[in-house]
Amino acid sequence: MMRLLVKLLVKDADAVEKDEVRKAYGNLASMTGIVANLLLCLFKFMAGTIANSISITADAVNNLSDAGSSIVSLVSFHLAGKPADAKHPFGHARYECLASLLVAVLILFLGVELAKESVSKILDPQEVVFSWTAVIVLGISILVKLWMYAYNRHYGALIHSSVMEATAADSLSDVLGTGGVLLSTIISPLIHFNLDGYMGVLVAAFILFTGISLIRSALDELLGKAPDPDIVKEIIARIRKYDGVLGVHDLIVHDYGPNRLFVSVHVEVDYRRDIFESHDMIDNIEKEIKEEMGIETVVHMDPIRTDDELTNALREMLRKVLKQIDPVLSFHDFRVVPGTTHTNLIFDVVVPFDSAYDDETLMKLITDGIHTYRKDCYAVITFDRAYTSEEKREED
């Protein structure tokens, strides 16, 4: 059914990189969610009243909350689709992330309220009246929520929408929760024990777990999580295929929301190569990544020496020193400045965020390691952090 709606209502549906297409997908999913959840709320409230069941009634309120979340999603897609302006040159796509955070807060509020009502029901149980109407309504609700989970998950991944992925996760938790309510409705009259309140607590637990998970995901987006490793691999592969590229390092991916990626990276070239040729290559790299990946890229060019015997020998020495300290350490921008009494080795060391060493300790270890080979060499070190887990720094 959703595929038919997409075909009818989403123009140029395959062009998901376009803002207007993403907005159309989001609007369709949000409106579908509003209508479906309002209908489920109405029928569950009627069934809960007939069966005198707090868990069914609470499940109805949950659907009402889901309808509110869909309204939030609808507004977020409208705001996120606004073009960049002077105050927001990177666009407004992060509105979706804020919307998913708001949805998560609403889910948590609902979970807390449901937990309180359910505990009250456990302490003061009332007879649950078996009703085939309630059973049928809950069964249909599970099927509808499975459908909503499927289309939100599919199209959320297609257009890279955190708010649709949050809605999918919420729909799945609703399936589990409503399934518990359905079991309570069927089993309680058979065993002559009211499971209503207990199932309400179980539903509340699912809701709270979903809300906490969504908040963590939204905070990761807002704080700046590590980029997709596949994107990092593709960027590096595209750069390395160019003749004249000797190394890639300091790759940083800035994520401002769906279709709003910006990249900065250092590319090493032979210092003897004509500067205009190297600059032309850099321009082509930036142009290719922009046109084929939709990512704005700024490339910094680092000229390096590969034909000097002393530099190559000292580079190999440093490689051995770092490997002895920690095999994950790497370096770049290696330069040698000879003097009459000593030689300065100038380089950057890439340190993972989970390294066991702080910068001061590493400085001493590297310096001492160099001095075991060459007493006349002094290290001038800049410590970098690995902003992408997949990036393999090229040692000069």
Side-chain angles (χ1 to χ4, degrees):
M1 178 180 176
M2 198 63 181
R3 293 183 185 277
L4 177 61
L5 291 175
V6 167
K7 186 175 181 180
L8 293 175
L9 300 177
V10 180
K11 184 179 179 181
D12 200 13
D14 292 332
V16 293
E17 72 282 357
K18 295 182 179 179
D19 290 339
E20 59 269 25
V21 175
R22 291 191 74 259
K23 183 178 179 180
Y25 272 111
N27 289 344
L28 175 58
S30 299
M31 290 302 300
T32 302
I34 292 171
V35 173
N37 280 302
L38 286 177
L39 289 174
L40 289 176
C41 175
L42 174 63
F43 287 115
K44 283 184 184 178
F45 186 80
M46 293 170 57
T49 302
I50 293 172
N52 192 31
S53 170
I54 181 63
S55 58
I56 297 178
T57 304
D59 214 21
V61 176
N62 183 24
N63 288 127
L64 183 62
S65 172
D66 290 342
S69 298
S70 294
I71 294 174
V72 171
S73 300
L74 186 66
V75 174
S76 77
F77 277 108
H78 172 72
L79 295 175
K82 293 171 61 179
D85 54 39
K87 289 186 177 181
H88 309 94
F90 300 108
H92 300 78
R94 281 187 175 174
Y95 270 120
E96 281 189 43
C97 183
L98 294 174
S100 64
L101 184 61
L102 180 56
V103 169
V105 172
L106 291 174
I107 290 172
L108 281 181
F109 175 76
L110 176 67
V112 171
E113 290 300 312
L114 176 55
K116 289 163 59 178
E117 289 292 328
S118 299
V119 170
S120 175
K121 192 73 172 182
I122 291 173
L123 298 176
D124 183 23
Q126 298 178 11
E127 182 181 0
V128 176
V129 179
F130 179 80
S131 168
W132 279 109
T133 300
V135 171
I136 293 172
V137 167
L138 292 174
I140 293 174
S141 174
I142 290 174
L143 295 176
V144 171
K145 281 295 181 176
L146 282 173
W147 172 64
M148 293 178 68
Y149 162 75
Y151 79 69
N152 276 291
R153 184 168 180 261
H154 174 73
Y155 291 111
L158 181 67
I159 68 172
H160 305 291
S161 170
S162 61
V163 70
M164 286 182 69
E165 290 172 353
T167 302
D170 183 36
S171 296
L172 186 59
S173 72
D174 288 345
V175 169
L176 298 175
T178 302
V181 175
L182 179 58
L183 286 177
S184 171
T185 303
I186 295 173
I187 295 174
S188 291
L190 296 176
I191 64 175
H192 304 291
F193 182 79
N194 194 339
L195 296 174
D196 193 31
Y198 298 95
M199 286 301 177
V201 170
L202 185 61
V203 173
F206 281 126
I207 292 172
L208 291 171
F209 177 78
T210 300
I212 292 172
S213 299
L214 293 178
I215 284 178
R216 287 177 177 173
S217 178
L219 289 178
D220 283 344
E221 296 283 348
L222 289 173
L223 292 175
K225 67 178 182 180
D228 184 342
D230 290 335
I231 291 178
V232 174
K233 289 178 181 177
E234 183 175 352
I235 292 172
I236 293 176
R238 288 180 181 275
I239 294 174
R240 284 179 176 164
K241 75 179 183 181
Y242 282 82
D243 292 334
V245 172
L246 301 180
V248 180
H249 61 86
D250 285 346
L251 172 63
I252 302 177
V253 180
H254 305 272
D255 189 345
Y256 290 92
N259 302 327
R260 294 291 189 280
L261 289 182
F262 297 83
V263 165
S264 62
V265 62
H266 288 216
V267 171
E268 296 165 352
V269 299
D270 193 319
Y271 80 104
R272 295 167 297 179
R273 187 177 183 181
D274 183 82
I275 187 67
F276 290 104
E277 290 183 10
S278 294
H279 189 274
D280 185 63
M281 178 186 69
I282 295 302
D283 282 345
N284 289 334
I285 291 172
E286 293 174 341
K287 182 180 179 182
E288 176 184 329
I289 295 175
K290 169 63 177 177
E291 292 180 350
E292 299 189 16
M293 297 184 68
I295 300 174
E296 294 283 355
T297 305
V298 176
V299 179
H300 175 81
M301 185 171 60
D302 287 333
I304 64 170
R305 297 189 65 172
T306 59
D307 62 341
D308 181 73
E309 184 176 343
L310 174 63
T311 299
N312 290 337
L314 293 175
R315 181 187 296 113
E316 185 60 30
M317 176 196 71
L318 177 59
R319 185 177 289 111
K320 291 179 181 178
V321 169
L322 293 183
K323 187 175 182 180
Q324 291 169 356
I325 297 171
D326 190 338
V328 302
L329 295 176
S330 61
F331 66 98
H332 57 82
D333 287 337
F334 183 77
R335 288 172 288 158
V336 176
V337 182
T340 55
T341 61
H342 66 278
T343 297
N344 283 336
L345 309 182
I346 305 172
F347 55 92
D348 293 5
V349 174
V350 181
V351 185
F353 283 104
D354 57 356
S355 173
Y357 304 106
D358 57 33
D359 290 356
E360 184 177 351
T361 302
L362 271 179
M363 177 71 78
K364 186 176 187 310
L365 289 173
I366 295 171
T367 301
D368 291 346
I370 289 173
H371 287 168
T372 61
Y373 292 94
R374 294 281 299 264
K375 293 288 187 182
D376 63 329
C377 287
Y378 295 167
V380 181
I381 307 173
T382 299
F383 291 104
D384 288 345
R385 289 299 180 268
Y387 290 102
T388 56
S389 60
E390 296 297 321
E391 180 187 352
K392 177 73 169 65
R393 261 66 174 187
E394 289 295 316
E395 296 158 352
D396 300 334

